[in-house]
Amino acid sequence: MRIKLIVLDVDGVLTDGRLYIGSDGTEFKAFHTQDGMGISLAKQAGIKTAIITGRKSKAVRKRAEELSFDYVFEGIHDKLETLQKIIDEIGIGFEEVCYMGDDLNDIPILTKVGWPCAPKNAMDMVKDQVMFVADSNGGDGAVREMIDSLLLQKYSQEEIVQLFLSKQAEITQ
């Protein structure tokens, strides 16, 4: 399997799915740092990354910027249409896409991509559609687990560590 693009839902995948909204309307989301490291590793391995989410959130934009996501689409109702635009731009097929989602609105994409994935706490109807279910819940390292599994199909653990260390050396020079 040659995955060239990882696409993620946010609520229930990169977060635990809970919405924290302050009295002033400010929305807070908790992201797991290990998921962030996994996304960085995938990018270092040459895999493009994207977020397609139904909600709009400053917290998502901030986290996506920190992790240098290649594509970020918020407020999307037809995720499959948005994914089609991304893969057309990149010039790849659905079979070269890994997607992690957790709820019903993710099923249209999950049934099309080459490597459909879900966190442990995804809805059963979603888990029935995927090839990989993480042992971790969304927002608790599920994305990292998925990326590690993906990278280990191509690289040894030692090669992954060296990939990380070599990129870190480039950044600090």
Side-chain angles (χ1 to χ4, degrees), residues 65-155:
E65 181 183 313
E66 288 175 352
L67 296 173
S68 301
F69 270 85
D70 297 292
Y71 301 91
V72 179
F73 293 92
E74 299 180 281
I76 302 300
H77 298 290
D78 188 340
K79 293 181 176 188
L80 185 57
E81 179 182 319
T82 301
L83 177 57
Q84 182 69 60
K85 290 175 184 175
I86 296 170
I87 65 173
D88 287 348
E89 181 179 318
I90 297 172
I92 62 173
F94 282 106
E95 70 279 1
E96 297 171 293
V97 176
C98 168
Y99 183 85
M100 182 175 264
D102 71 310
D103 216 331
L104 298 177
N105 59 338
D106 298 306
I107 290 177
I109 289 181
L110 291 167
T111 59
K112 295 279 273 189
V113 300
W115 204 44
C117 303
K120 179 181 176 181
N121 61 330
M123 302 306 300
D124 287 338
M125 289 181 277
V126 170
K127 290 192 270 190
D128 290 343
Q129 303 295 321
V130 304
M131 296 171 67
F132 176 87
V133 176
D135 291 330
S136 302
N137 288 333
D140 198 27
V143 171
R144 173 63 181 274
E145 198 177 315
M146 174 197 73
I147 291 171
D148 283 353
S149 180
L150 176 65
L151 293 178
L152 286 168
Q153 293 175 30
K154 183 175 179 182
Y155 303 103

